[in-house]
Amino acid sequence: MVSSPHEAMHRIFQQDPGLFPRAVRALGVSFGDPVSASPFPTDLTENRPLERRVDTLLRLDTVKDGSFLLAVEAQGGQDADKPASWAYYLAYLYAKYKMPAVLLVVCQDRNTASWAARQVSFGPPQWPTLTLRPLVLGPDTVPVIDTPEAAAKDISLAVLSSALHSRAPESDAILKALAAALKGLQADDEDTASIYIELTEQGLGKTPAADLWRHLMAVDLSIFQSQTAQALRAEGLSEGLSEALLVVLSGRGIDVSDEARDRITTCDDHDTLTTWLTRAATATTTAELFEDTEG
């Protein structure tokens, strides 16, 4: 099953194709900023039973470098079969679209990133016929963005940074900086801020940093109520609201009895849960939380 971090690590390039040239500058590679970008079908299957799909495929048009295809692969672990698949993708794309293609591999794990960055040659050792040279972004090549000013300057890169450093000691500072930047963005473009909030949550997966992110979104009700709460309501995920509420109460040092915890976790009314979540920002006891509600 495809994981949420896997989705976030390639979808961020769909959201902001210009992130590609900005992110790979740390690798010493220079690409012009795209003046336009077009999503291409990700299905690379031929008319035979074997199905092949790249995670994200974009056509980038630049003034400096002309047009090229960007294939983005989010890689969660080492896979001996992947280099051959990647070589196939690039050859297939060139044959189909008659356009140069670049492979970008995004990895949360340092060892996986180091493995993916290897040049792999195909053919006999005395005459390698084809050499695969992916560009790889991982924890060692994407910077830690831990100030609101830096995050606001490039929110897409900050979201990618949060995913690739989700298990690092700097994760707390990254998420706090990103939350502040998103609050500023929300005032100008609520829909885009919502997309970045979702991508950040996906990228963090089930790491401890995900709990902090939900706490930050819950405490900053201007973001949480208009974005995350609505998304959870639309998806019917009352469990997510209950979890966020418990995180807020714990973060504020409010004692939660077994009876109160059971009341929160068994409530399936989104309006009630949202009311409790709003009250949790100022309440001092769970009794204040539950006042005049029936959940």
Side-chain angles (χ1 to χ4, degrees):
M1 180 180 293
V2 177
S3 66
S4 290
H6 178 279
E7 288 293 303
M9 286 191 294
H10 69 86
R11 278 186 57 206
I12 187 64
F13 293 92
Q14 297 176 22
Q15 171 64 23
D16 181 7
L19 174 61
F20 168 66
R22 300 196 302 273
V24 300
R25 283 170 194 155
L27 304 177
V29 182
S30 176
F31 284 90
D33 294 327
V35 295
S36 67
S38 308
F40 269 43
T42 59
D43 190 347
L44 308 185
T45 307
E46 295 185 70
N47 293 325
R48 55 179 181 171
L50 183 61
E51 179 179 302
R52 299 179 186 269
R53 290 182 184 271
V54 66
D55 288 334
T56 282
L57 182 61
L58 301 169
R59 169 178 169 156
L60 299 187
D61 303 307
T62 74
V63 173
K64 176 183 175 182
D65 304 303
S67 300
F68 62 94
L69 297 175
L70 175 65
V72 185
E73 284 279 281
Q75 189 65 28
Q78 299 182 28
D79 182 345
D81 294 330
K82 271 295 182 179
S85 296
W86 290 337
Y88 171 88
Y89 295 167
L90 296 173
Y92 177 90
L93 291 171
Y94 184 77
K96 181 174 182 177
Y97 295 109
K98 301 298 186 290
M99 189 180 300
V102 175
L103 173 64
L104 177 67
V105 183
V106 187
C107 310
Q108 285 183 305
D109 174 70
R110 282 183 169 83
N111 290 334
T112 302
S114 177
W115 163 83
R118 300 173 306 150
Q119 293 188 21
V120 179
S121 295
F122 298 89
Q126 64 270 34
W127 193 266
T129 307
L130 177 68
T131 300
L132 177 70
R133 300 178 62 207
L135 287 170
V136 179
L137 294 176
D140 291 331
T141 51
V142 171
V144 170
I145 299 180
D146 56 4
T147 68
E149 296 77 15
K153 186 176 181 180
D154 195 336
I155 289 181
S156 297
L157 189 60
V159 171
L160 184 62
S161 178
S162 73
L164 299 188
H165 297 285
S166 60
R167 291 180 172 83
E170 301 89 351
S171 179
D172 287 11
I174 294 172
L175 294 179
K176 290 175 182 177
L178 180 55
L182 285 172
K183 185 176 182 180
L185 175 63
Q186 186 200 24
D188 299 322
D189 189 344
E190 188 171 343
D191 290 339
T192 300
S194 177
I195 293 171
Y196 282 127
I197 289 171
E198 178 191 355
L199 286 170
T200 301
E201 186 167 351
Q202 283 189 328
L204 296 174
K206 297 182 179 179
T207 63
D211 292 332
L212 173 62
W213 183 247
R214 285 190 288 269
H215 174 66
L216 290 170
M217 293 296 98
V219 170
D220 191 342
L221 295 174
S222 65
I223 293 180
F224 185 82
Q225 287 183 311
S226 62
Q227 305 296 343
T228 307
Q230 289 183 12
L232 290 171
R233 184 180 296 112
E235 296 173 16
L237 295 180
S238 57
E239 181 181 350
L241 283 171
S242 300
E243 182 180 351
L245 175 56
L246 292 172
V247 169
V248 173
L249 293 173
S250 174
R252 298 194 63 239
I254 297 175
D255 182 61
V256 180
S257 66
D258 291 342
E259 180 182 357
R261 182 179 298 274
D262 183 66
R263 185 173 179 181
I264 291 170
T265 57
T266 58
C267 180
D268 58 4
D269 184 86
H270 296 95
D271 291 336
T272 298
L273 286 167
T274 301
T275 297
W276 291 347
L277 188 58
T278 302
R279 292 177 178 177
T282 56
T284 57
T285 67
T286 54
E288 295 178 32
L289 203 70
F290 299 140
E291 187 176 3
D292 301 325
T293 60
E294 298 179 357

